[in-house]
Amino acid sequence: MFLIDDLTFLVFCQYEFHMTQQDAGILFCVSAMFLFGYGLTISGFIIDKYGVKVSMVLGMVAIMISKFLLTFVDTVPQLYLVMCTVSPFGISIVYPCTVLGIKKLTHNGPVRSMSFSIFYAMMILGALLGGPLVDFIRRDIGKTQFEYYHTNIYSGKVEKRYIEVSAWRAIAFFGFVLSFL
């Protein structure tokens, strides 16, 4: 889930918001600094105060909200707002909670070693599948058009409307669906 964001974020910024590579890289770095800041200040406090389960749910909800918002943001200030608040906050909670959850739920010895091995193997599997999955969504789904009906408040007539979703926004929405699961 996180690797797909890293693979596509710069291209997402370039195609959807017409940012230069430098501007997209600066946004990525600013977001990483906020991730570092949240991790140093508030995330540890939240995990200690509310425990691993509640913090994990809070972090996943924050990530889910950020992915959903990334699907629909229209302007660069909105993009900065999402990438400097909700997204790094959620990521700064989820990864430590995952590591702490494995440590808390396993005992010293081979079970803990096996659990961490599976955890890192799943990260590697995500990295292995992330590239082809992004390529599949980008190439085979491309621009997707949805049809919906809308009642015009002025005329009272039901109108057929369309919304186009680019492949990059479809990838962001896929991240939302993955974090929801």
Short mmCIF file of all heavy atoms in Angstrom, two decimals, residues 54-122:
data_model
loop_
_atom_site.label_atom_id
_atom_site.label_comp_id
_atom_site.label_asym_id
_atom_site.label_seq_id
_atom_site.Cartn_x
_atom_site.Cartn_y
_atom_site.Cartn_z
N VAL A 54 -6.13 0.60 19.32
CA VAL A 54 -6.83 1.86 19.03
C VAL A 54 -5.98 2.74 18.12
O VAL A 54 -6.51 3.35 17.17
CB VAL A 54 -7.19 2.60 20.34
CG1 VAL A 54 -7.76 3.97 20.06
CG2 VAL A 54 -8.15 1.78 21.17
N SER A 55 -4.69 2.78 18.36
CA SER A 55 -3.80 3.59 17.54
C SER A 55 -3.74 3.06 16.11
O SER A 55 -3.70 3.84 15.15
CB SER A 55 -2.39 3.62 18.14
OG SER A 55 -2.42 4.17 19.42
N MET A 56 -3.72 1.74 15.97
CA MET A 56 -3.70 1.15 14.64
C MET A 56 -4.97 1.50 13.87
O MET A 56 -4.91 1.85 12.69
CB MET A 56 -3.54 -0.37 14.74
CG MET A 56 -3.43 -1.05 13.42
SD MET A 56 -1.88 -0.63 12.62
CE MET A 56 -1.58 -2.10 11.71
N VAL A 57 -6.11 1.42 14.54
CA VAL A 57 -7.37 1.79 13.89
C VAL A 57 -7.36 3.26 13.51
O VAL A 57 -7.74 3.64 12.40
CB VAL A 57 -8.57 1.45 14.80
CG1 VAL A 57 -9.86 2.06 14.26
CG2 VAL A 57 -8.71 -0.05 14.96
N LEU A 58 -6.88 4.11 14.41
CA LEU A 58 -6.80 5.55 14.13
C LEU A 58 -5.89 5.83 12.94
O LEU A 58 -6.24 6.61 12.05
CB LEU A 58 -6.30 6.30 15.37
CG LEU A 58 -6.10 7.80 15.22
CD1 LEU A 58 -7.45 8.48 15.03
CD2 LEU A 58 -5.39 8.35 16.43
N GLY A 59 -4.73 5.16 12.90
CA GLY A 59 -3.81 5.35 11.79
C GLY A 59 -4.38 4.87 10.47
O GLY A 59 -4.24 5.54 9.45
N MET A 60 -5.04 3.72 10.48
CA MET A 60 -5.63 3.20 9.24
C MET A 60 -6.78 4.09 8.77
O MET A 60 -6.96 4.28 7.57
CB MET A 60 -6.11 1.76 9.43
CG MET A 60 -4.98 0.76 9.52
SD MET A 60 -3.83 0.79 8.13
CE MET A 60 -4.84 0.23 6.80
N VAL A 61 -7.56 4.62 9.70
CA VAL A 61 -8.64 5.54 9.31
C VAL A 61 -8.04 6.81 8.70
O VAL A 61 -8.55 7.31 7.69
CB VAL A 61 -9.55 5.86 10.52
CG1 VAL A 61 -10.45 7.05 10.24
CG2 VAL A 61 -10.38 4.64 10.88
N ALA A 62 -6.96 7.31 9.28
CA ALA A 62 -6.31 8.51 8.72
C ALA A 62 -5.77 8.22 7.31
O ALA A 62 -5.92 9.05 6.40
CB ALA A 62 -5.18 8.97 9.64
N ILE A 63 -5.16 7.06 7.12
CA ILE A 63 -4.66 6.70 5.79
C ILE A 63 -5.81 6.54 4.81
O ILE A 63 -5.74 7.00 3.66
CB ILE A 63 -3.81 5.42 5.86
CG1 ILE A 63 -2.49 5.71 6.57
CG2 ILE A 63 -3.54 4.85 4.48
CD1 ILE A 63 -1.65 4.49 6.85
N MET A 64 -6.89 5.91 5.27
CA MET A 64 -8.05 5.71 4.41
C MET A 64 -8.64 7.05 3.98
O MET A 64 -8.95 7.26 2.81
CB MET A 64 -9.09 4.87 5.15
CG MET A 64 -10.27 4.47 4.32
SD MET A 64 -11.39 3.36 5.19
CE MET A 64 -11.94 4.39 6.53
N ILE A 65 -8.75 7.98 4.91
CA ILE A 65 -9.27 9.31 4.59
C ILE A 65 -8.35 10.02 3.60
O ILE A 65 -8.81 10.64 2.64
CB ILE A 65 -9.47 10.14 5.88
CG1 ILE A 65 -10.63 9.59 6.69
CG2 ILE A 65 -9.68 11.62 5.57
CD1 ILE A 65 -10.74 10.17 8.08
N SER A 66 -7.05 9.91 3.82
CA SER A 66 -6.12 10.60 2.92
C SER A 66 -6.17 10.03 1.51
O SER A 66 -6.13 10.77 0.54
CB SER A 66 -4.69 10.53 3.47
OG SER A 66 -4.16 9.24 3.38
N LYS A 67 -6.29 8.70 1.39
CA LYS A 67 -6.38 8.09 0.05
C LYS A 67 -7.68 8.50 -0.63
O LYS A 67 -7.70 8.75 -1.84
CB LYS A 67 -6.30 6.56 0.12
CG LYS A 67 -5.05 6.04 0.71
CD LYS A 67 -3.85 6.47 -0.06
CE LYS A 67 -2.61 6.01 0.64
NZ LYS A 67 -1.49 6.87 0.42
N PHE A 68 -8.77 8.54 0.12
CA PHE A 68 -10.05 8.95 -0.45
C PHE A 68 -9.98 10.41 -0.90
O PHE A 68 -10.44 10.75 -1.99
CB PHE A 68 -11.16 8.75 0.58
CG PHE A 68 -12.53 9.01 0.03
CD1 PHE A 68 -13.12 8.10 -0.83
CD2 PHE A 68 -13.22 10.16 0.36
CE1 PHE A 68 -14.38 8.33 -1.35
CE2 PHE A 68 -14.47 10.40 -0.16
CZ PHE A 68 -15.06 9.49 -1.01
N LEU A 69 -9.37 11.26 -0.08
CA LEU A 69 -9.25 12.67 -0.46
C LEU A 69 -8.34 12.85 -1.67
O LEU A 69 -8.60 13.70 -2.52
CB LEU A 69 -8.73 13.50 0.72
CG LEU A 69 -9.70 13.68 1.88
CD1 LEU A 69 -9.01 14.39 3.04
CD2 LEU A 69 -10.94 14.43 1.44
N LEU A 70 -7.27 12.06 -1.76
CA LEU A 70 -6.37 12.15 -2.91
C LEU A 70 -7.09 11.79 -4.21
O LEU A 70 -6.67 12.23 -5.28
CB LEU A 70 -5.16 11.23 -2.74
CG LEU A 70 -4.03 11.77 -1.90
CD1 LEU A 70 -2.92 10.73 -1.78
CD2 LEU A 70 -3.49 13.06 -2.46
N THR A 71 -8.13 11.01 -4.11
CA THR A 71 -8.90 10.66 -5.31
C THR A 71 -9.63 11.87 -5.86
O THR A 71 -9.84 11.97 -7.06
CB THR A 71 -9.90 9.55 -4.98
OG1 THR A 71 -9.20 8.46 -4.38
CG2 THR A 71 -10.60 9.04 -6.22
N PHE A 72 -9.98 12.83 -4.99
CA PHE A 72 -10.85 13.92 -5.42
C PHE A 72 -10.25 15.32 -5.31
O PHE A 72 -10.93 16.28 -5.67
CB PHE A 72 -12.16 13.88 -4.62
CG PHE A 72 -12.93 12.62 -4.86
CD1 PHE A 72 -12.94 11.62 -3.92
CD2 PHE A 72 -13.62 12.43 -6.05
CE1 PHE A 72 -13.65 10.45 -4.14
CE2 PHE A 72 -14.32 11.26 -6.28
CZ PHE A 72 -14.34 10.27 -5.32
N VAL A 73 -9.02 15.48 -4.80
CA VAL A 73 -8.46 16.84 -4.70
C VAL A 73 -8.29 17.44 -6.08
O VAL A 73 -7.99 16.75 -7.05
CB VAL A 73 -7.12 16.86 -3.92
CG1 VAL A 73 -7.31 16.49 -2.48
CG2 VAL A 73 -6.09 15.98 -4.57
N ASP A 74 -8.50 18.76 -6.16
CA ASP A 74 -8.44 19.45 -7.45
C ASP A 74 -7.30 20.46 -7.56
O ASP A 74 -6.86 20.76 -8.66
CB ASP A 74 -9.75 20.21 -7.71
CG ASP A 74 -10.89 19.26 -8.01
OD1 ASP A 74 -10.63 18.16 -8.50
OD2 ASP A 74 -12.04 19.65 -7.75
N THR A 75 -6.84 21.00 -6.45
CA THR A 75 -5.85 22.07 -6.50
C THR A 75 -4.60 21.66 -5.74
O THR A 75 -4.62 20.76 -4.90
CB THR A 75 -6.42 23.36 -5.88
OG1 THR A 75 -6.70 23.15 -4.49
CG2 THR A 75 -7.69 23.81 -6.61
N VAL A 76 -3.52 22.36 -6.03
CA VAL A 76 -2.24 22.07 -5.36
C VAL A 76 -2.32 22.38 -3.86
O VAL A 76 -1.80 21.60 -3.05
CB VAL A 76 -1.09 22.85 -6.05
CG1 VAL A 76 0.21 22.69 -5.27
CG2 VAL A 76 -0.91 22.35 -7.48
N PRO A 77 -2.96 23.49 -3.42
CA PRO A 77 -3.08 23.69 -1.96
C PRO A 77 -3.84 22.56 -1.25
O PRO A 77 -3.47 22.17 -0.14
CB PRO A 77 -3.83 25.02 -1.84
CG PRO A 77 -3.51 25.75 -3.09
CD PRO A 77 -3.40 24.69 -4.15
N GLN A 78 -4.86 22.00 -1.90
CA GLN A 78 -5.56 20.87 -1.31
C GLN A 78 -4.64 19.66 -1.22
O GLN A 78 -4.66 18.92 -0.22
CB GLN A 78 -6.80 20.51 -2.14
CG GLN A 78 -7.91 21.51 -2.08
CD GLN A 78 -9.02 21.17 -3.07
OE1 GLN A 78 -8.86 20.35 -3.97
NE2 GLN A 78 -10.16 21.83 -2.90
N LEU A 79 -3.83 19.47 -2.25
CA LEU A 79 -2.88 18.36 -2.26
C LEU A 79 -1.86 18.53 -1.12
O LEU A 79 -1.57 17.58 -0.40
CB LEU A 79 -2.16 18.29 -3.61
CG LEU A 79 -1.15 17.18 -3.80
CD1 LEU A 79 -1.82 15.81 -3.76
CD2 LEU A 79 -0.42 17.36 -5.12
N TYR A 80 -1.34 19.73 -0.95
CA TYR A 80 -0.42 20.00 0.15
C TYR A 80 -1.08 19.76 1.50
O TYR A 80 -0.47 19.21 2.42
CB TYR A 80 0.11 21.44 0.08
CG TYR A 80 1.43 21.57 -0.63
CD1 TYR A 80 1.49 21.85 -1.98
CD2 TYR A 80 2.63 21.42 0.06
CE1 TYR A 80 2.70 21.97 -2.64
CE2 TYR A 80 3.85 21.54 -0.58
CZ TYR A 80 3.87 21.81 -1.93
OH TYR A 80 5.07 21.92 -2.57
N LEU A 81 -2.34 20.16 1.63
CA LEU A 81 -3.07 19.97 2.88
C LEU A 81 -3.19 18.50 3.24
O LEU A 81 -2.90 18.10 4.38
CB LEU A 81 -4.45 20.63 2.79
CG LEU A 81 -5.29 20.57 4.06
CD1 LEU A 81 -4.66 21.45 5.13
CD2 LEU A 81 -6.70 21.04 3.77
N VAL A 82 -3.56 17.69 2.27
CA VAL A 82 -3.70 16.25 2.53
C VAL A 82 -2.34 15.63 2.82
O VAL A 82 -2.18 14.83 3.75
CB VAL A 82 -4.39 15.54 1.35
CG1 VAL A 82 -4.33 14.04 1.49
CG2 VAL A 82 -5.82 16.00 1.21
N MET A 83 -1.33 15.99 2.02
CA MET A 83 -0.02 15.35 2.13
C MET A 83 0.80 15.85 3.31
O MET A 83 1.86 15.28 3.62
CB MET A 83 0.77 15.53 0.84
CG MET A 83 0.18 14.77 -0.34
SD MET A 83 -0.10 13.02 -0.03
CE MET A 83 1.56 12.44 0.21
N CYS A 84 0.35 16.91 3.97
CA CYS A 84 1.08 17.41 5.14
C CYS A 84 0.32 17.21 6.45
O CYS A 84 0.84 17.56 7.51
CB CYS A 84 1.41 18.89 4.95
SG CYS A 84 2.57 19.19 3.62
N THR A 85 -0.89 16.67 6.38
CA THR A 85 -1.65 16.48 7.61
C THR A 85 -2.06 15.01 7.78
O THR A 85 -1.44 14.28 8.52
CB THR A 85 -2.91 17.38 7.63
OG1 THR A 85 -3.69 17.13 6.46
CG2 THR A 85 -2.53 18.85 7.70
N VAL A 86 -3.09 14.62 7.10
CA VAL A 86 -3.72 13.32 7.33
C VAL A 86 -2.82 12.15 6.91
O VAL A 86 -2.67 11.18 7.65
CB VAL A 86 -5.08 13.24 6.61
CG1 VAL A 86 -5.79 11.96 6.94
CG2 VAL A 86 -5.94 14.42 6.95
N SER A 87 -2.24 12.23 5.74
CA SER A 87 -1.44 11.12 5.22
C SER A 87 -0.21 10.82 6.06
O SER A 87 -0.02 9.68 6.50
CB SER A 87 -1.05 11.39 3.76
OG SER A 87 -0.34 10.32 3.23
N PRO A 88 0.66 11.80 6.35
CA PRO A 88 1.83 11.46 7.16
C PRO A 88 1.47 11.09 8.60
O PRO A 88 2.14 10.27 9.22
CB PRO A 88 2.71 12.71 7.11
CG PRO A 88 1.84 13.79 6.65
CD PRO A 88 0.74 13.18 5.87
N PHE A 89 0.38 11.67 9.11
CA PHE A 89 -0.06 11.31 10.46
C PHE A 89 -0.43 9.84 10.53
O PHE A 89 -0.02 9.11 11.44
CB PHE A 89 -1.24 12.20 10.87
CG PHE A 89 -1.84 11.82 12.18
CD1 PHE A 89 -1.16 12.04 13.36
CD2 PHE A 89 -3.09 11.22 12.24
CE1 PHE A 89 -1.71 11.67 14.58
CE2 PHE A 89 -3.64 10.85 13.44
CZ PHE A 89 -2.96 11.07 14.62
N GLY A 90 -1.21 9.36 9.56
CA GLY A 90 -1.61 7.96 9.55
C GLY A 90 -0.43 7.02 9.39
O GLY A 90 -0.32 6.01 10.09
N ILE A 91 0.46 7.35 8.46
CA ILE A 91 1.63 6.49 8.23
C ILE A 91 2.53 6.45 9.46
O ILE A 91 3.08 5.40 9.80
CB ILE A 91 2.40 6.96 6.98
CG1 ILE A 91 1.54 6.78 5.73
CG2 ILE A 91 3.70 6.18 6.81
CD1 ILE A 91 2.10 7.44 4.50
N SER A 92 2.65 7.59 10.15
CA SER A 92 3.53 7.64 11.32
C SER A 92 2.99 6.80 12.48
O SER A 92 3.75 6.47 13.39
CB SER A 92 3.74 9.08 11.78
OG SER A 92 2.56 9.60 12.36
N ILE A 93 1.73 6.46 12.44
CA ILE A 93 1.16 5.61 13.50
C ILE A 93 1.14 4.14 13.08
O ILE A 93 1.44 3.26 13.87
CB ILE A 93 -0.27 6.08 13.86
CG1 ILE A 93 -0.20 7.43 14.55
CG2 ILE A 93 -0.97 5.07 14.75
CD1 ILE A 93 -1.54 8.00 14.90
N VAL A 94 0.81 3.86 11.83
CA VAL A 94 0.58 2.48 11.40
C VAL A 94 1.84 1.62 11.45
O VAL A 94 1.80 0.50 11.97
CB VAL A 94 -0.05 2.45 9.98
CG1 VAL A 94 -0.01 1.07 9.38
CG2 VAL A 94 -1.47 2.94 10.05
N TYR A 95 2.93 2.10 10.93
CA TYR A 95 4.13 1.25 10.88
C TYR A 95 4.62 0.89 12.29
O TYR A 95 4.85 -0.30 12.56
CB TYR A 95 5.24 1.90 10.05
CG TYR A 95 6.40 0.98 9.86
CD1 TYR A 95 6.33 -0.05 8.93
CD2 TYR A 95 7.55 1.09 10.62
CE1 TYR A 95 7.39 -0.93 8.77
CE2 TYR A 95 8.61 0.23 10.46
CZ TYR A 95 8.53 -0.79 9.53
OH TYR A 95 9.56 -1.66 9.37
N PRO A 96 4.77 1.85 13.22
CA PRO A 96 5.19 1.45 14.57
C PRO A 96 4.18 0.53 15.25
O PRO A 96 4.57 -0.38 15.99
CB PRO A 96 5.31 2.77 15.33
CG PRO A 96 5.45 3.81 14.30
CD PRO A 96 4.73 3.32 13.10
N CYS A 97 2.88 0.75 15.00
CA CYS A 97 1.87 -0.13 15.61
C CYS A 97 1.98 -1.54 15.07
O CYS A 97 1.76 -2.50 15.81
CB CYS A 97 0.47 0.43 15.34
SG CYS A 97 0.01 1.76 16.43
N THR A 98 2.31 -1.69 13.81
CA THR A 98 2.46 -3.02 13.24
C THR A 98 3.62 -3.75 13.90
O THR A 98 3.50 -4.91 14.30
CB THR A 98 2.68 -2.93 11.72
OG1 THR A 98 1.62 -2.18 11.14
CG2 THR A 98 2.72 -4.30 11.08
N VAL A 99 4.74 -3.06 14.04
CA VAL A 99 5.91 -3.67 14.67
C VAL A 99 5.62 -3.98 16.15
O VAL A 99 5.93 -5.07 16.64
CB VAL A 99 7.14 -2.76 14.52
CG1 VAL A 99 8.32 -3.29 15.31
CG2 VAL A 99 7.52 -2.62 13.05
N LEU A 100 4.98 -3.03 16.84
CA LEU A 100 4.65 -3.25 18.25
C LEU A 100 3.62 -4.36 18.41
O LEU A 100 3.66 -5.11 19.38
CB LEU A 100 4.13 -1.96 18.88
CG LEU A 100 5.17 -0.89 19.14
CD1 LEU A 100 4.49 0.40 19.57
CD2 LEU A 100 6.16 -1.35 20.20
N GLY A 101 2.68 -4.46 17.49
CA GLY A 101 1.68 -5.52 17.55
C GLY A 101 2.31 -6.88 17.42
O GLY A 101 1.95 -7.82 18.14
N ILE A 102 3.26 -7.01 16.52
CA ILE A 102 3.94 -8.30 16.36
C ILE A 102 4.73 -8.62 17.63
O ILE A 102 4.70 -9.74 18.13
CB ILE A 102 4.86 -8.28 15.12
CG1 ILE A 102 4.02 -8.22 13.86
CG2 ILE A 102 5.77 -9.52 15.10
CD1 ILE A 102 4.83 -7.99 12.61
N LYS A 103 5.40 -7.62 18.16
CA LYS A 103 6.19 -7.83 19.38
C LYS A 103 5.30 -8.18 20.57
O LYS A 103 5.62 -9.05 21.37
CB LYS A 103 7.02 -6.59 19.69
CG LYS A 103 7.96 -6.77 20.84
CD LYS A 103 8.80 -5.55 21.06
CE LYS A 103 9.69 -5.77 22.26
NZ LYS A 103 10.44 -4.58 22.63
N LYS A 104 4.15 -7.52 20.65
CA LYS A 104 3.25 -7.72 21.78
C LYS A 104 2.53 -9.07 21.71
O LYS A 104 2.29 -9.70 22.74
CB LYS A 104 2.22 -6.58 21.80
CG LYS A 104 1.27 -6.61 22.96
CD LYS A 104 0.33 -5.42 22.88
CE LYS A 104 -0.66 -5.45 24.01
NZ LYS A 104 -1.60 -4.33 23.94
N LEU A 105 2.19 -9.53 20.52
CA LEU A 105 1.39 -10.74 20.38
C LEU A 105 2.21 -12.02 20.24
O LEU A 105 1.63 -13.10 20.16
CB LEU A 105 0.46 -10.60 19.17
CG LEU A 105 -0.60 -9.51 19.30
CD1 LEU A 105 -1.35 -9.33 18.00
CD2 LEU A 105 -1.55 -9.81 20.45
N THR A 106 3.52 -11.90 20.20
CA THR A 106 4.36 -13.10 20.10
C THR A 106 5.30 -13.16 21.28
O THR A 106 5.56 -12.17 21.95
CB THR A 106 5.18 -13.09 18.79
OG1 THR A 106 6.00 -11.92 18.76
CG2 THR A 106 4.28 -13.11 17.59
N HIS A 107 5.81 -14.36 21.54
CA HIS A 107 6.76 -14.57 22.62
C HIS A 107 8.17 -14.65 22.04
O HIS A 107 8.36 -14.93 20.87
CB HIS A 107 6.44 -15.87 23.37
CG HIS A 107 5.04 -15.89 23.92
ND1 HIS A 107 4.66 -15.10 24.96
CD2 HIS A 107 3.95 -16.59 23.55
CE1 HIS A 107 3.38 -15.32 25.23
NE2 HIS A 107 2.92 -16.21 24.37
N ASN A 108 9.15 -14.41 22.90
CA ASN A 108 10.54 -14.52 22.46
C ASN A 108 10.80 -15.91 21.89
O ASN A 108 10.23 -16.90 22.34
CB ASN A 108 11.51 -14.27 23.62
CG ASN A 108 11.70 -12.80 23.88
OD1 ASN A 108 11.54 -11.98 22.98
ND2 ASN A 108 12.05 -12.45 25.11
N GLY A 109 11.65 -15.95 20.90
CA GLY A 109 12.02 -17.24 20.34
C GLY A 109 11.63 -17.37 18.89
O GLY A 109 11.49 -16.37 18.17
N PRO A 110 11.43 -18.60 18.46
CA PRO A 110 11.21 -18.84 17.03
C PRO A 110 9.88 -18.27 16.51
O PRO A 110 9.78 -17.92 15.34
CB PRO A 110 11.23 -20.36 16.90
CG PRO A 110 11.04 -20.91 18.26
CD PRO A 110 11.51 -19.86 19.22
N VAL A 111 8.86 -18.17 17.36
CA VAL A 111 7.57 -17.64 16.89
C VAL A 111 7.71 -16.16 16.54
O VAL A 111 7.21 -15.71 15.50
CB VAL A 111 6.48 -17.86 17.97
CG1 VAL A 111 5.19 -17.16 17.58
CG2 VAL A 111 6.24 -19.33 18.20
N ARG A 112 8.40 -15.42 17.38
CA ARG A 112 8.59 -14.00 17.09
C ARG A 112 9.46 -13.81 15.84
O ARG A 112 9.16 -12.96 15.00
CB ARG A 112 9.22 -13.27 18.28
CG ARG A 112 9.38 -11.78 18.02
CD ARG A 112 9.83 -11.03 19.23
NE ARG A 112 8.75 -10.97 20.18
CZ ARG A 112 8.88 -10.51 21.41
NH1 ARG A 112 10.04 -10.09 21.85
NH2 ARG A 112 7.85 -10.49 22.23
N SER A 113 10.49 -14.60 15.72
CA SER A 113 11.34 -14.51 14.53
C SER A 113 10.55 -14.83 13.27
O SER A 113 10.67 -14.14 12.25
CB SER A 113 12.52 -15.48 14.65
OG SER A 113 13.31 -15.15 15.76
N MET A 114 9.72 -15.86 13.35
CA MET A 114 8.89 -16.23 12.20
C MET A 114 7.89 -15.13 11.88
O MET A 114 7.65 -14.81 10.71
CB MET A 114 8.15 -17.54 12.49
CG MET A 114 7.20 -17.92 11.40
SD MET A 114 8.06 -18.52 9.97
CE MET A 114 7.84 -20.24 10.23
N SER A 115 7.32 -14.51 12.90
CA SER A 115 6.34 -13.43 12.69
C SER A 115 6.97 -12.24 12.00
O SER A 115 6.39 -11.68 11.06
CB SER A 115 5.72 -13.00 14.02
OG SER A 115 5.07 -14.07 14.62
N PHE A 116 8.13 -11.83 12.46
CA PHE A 116 8.81 -10.71 11.81
C PHE A 116 9.25 -11.09 10.39
O PHE A 116 9.22 -10.25 9.49
CB PHE A 116 9.99 -10.22 12.64
CG PHE A 116 9.60 -9.25 13.70
CD1 PHE A 116 9.64 -9.61 15.04
CD2 PHE A 116 9.17 -7.97 13.38
CE1 PHE A 116 9.27 -8.73 16.03
CE2 PHE A 116 8.80 -7.07 14.36
CZ PHE A 116 8.84 -7.46 15.69
N SER A 117 9.64 -12.35 10.20
CA SER A 117 10.01 -12.80 8.86
C SER A 117 8.82 -12.72 7.91
O SER A 117 8.95 -12.28 6.77
CB SER A 117 10.55 -14.23 8.90
OG SER A 117 11.73 -14.28 9.65
N ILE A 118 7.66 -13.14 8.39
CA ILE A 118 6.45 -13.07 7.56
C ILE A 118 6.09 -11.62 7.28
O ILE A 118 5.70 -11.26 6.16
CB ILE A 118 5.28 -13.82 8.23
CG1 ILE A 118 5.57 -15.32 8.22
CG2 ILE A 118 3.95 -13.51 7.55
CD1 ILE A 118 4.60 -16.15 9.05
N PHE A 119 6.22 -10.76 8.29
CA PHE A 119 5.93 -9.33 8.12
C PHE A 119 6.80 -8.72 7.02
O PHE A 119 6.29 -8.06 6.10
CB PHE A 119 6.16 -8.61 9.46
CG PHE A 119 6.10 -7.12 9.39
CD1 PHE A 119 4.92 -6.46 9.06
CD2 PHE A 119 7.23 -6.37 9.67
CE1 PHE A 119 4.87 -5.08 9.01
CE2 PHE A 119 7.18 -4.99 9.62
CZ PHE A 119 5.99 -4.34 9.29
N TYR A 120 8.09 -8.97 7.08
CA TYR A 120 8.99 -8.41 6.07
C TYR A 120 8.82 -9.11 4.72
O TYR A 120 9.00 -8.48 3.67
CB TYR A 120 10.44 -8.45 6.55
CG TYR A 120 10.67 -7.42 7.63
CD1 TYR A 120 10.96 -7.79 8.94
CD2 TYR A 120 10.56 -6.06 7.35
CE1 TYR A 120 11.14 -6.84 9.93
CE2 TYR A 120 10.74 -5.11 8.34
CZ TYR A 120 11.03 -5.51 9.62
OH TYR A 120 11.20 -4.56 10.58
N ALA A 121 8.45 -10.38 4.73
CA ALA A 121 8.18 -11.08 3.47
C ALA A 121 6.96 -10.47 2.78
O ALA A 121 6.95 -10.33 1.56
CB ALA A 121 7.97 -12.57 3.72
N MET A 122 5.95 -10.09 3.55
CA MET A 122 4.77 -9.45 2.97
C MET A 122 5.13 -8.07 2.40
O MET A 122 4.58 -7.65 1.38
CB MET A 122 3.65 -9.31 4.00
CG MET A 122 3.02 -10.61 4.39
SD MET A 122 2.25 -11.45 3.00
CE MET A 122 3.27 -12.88 2.85
#
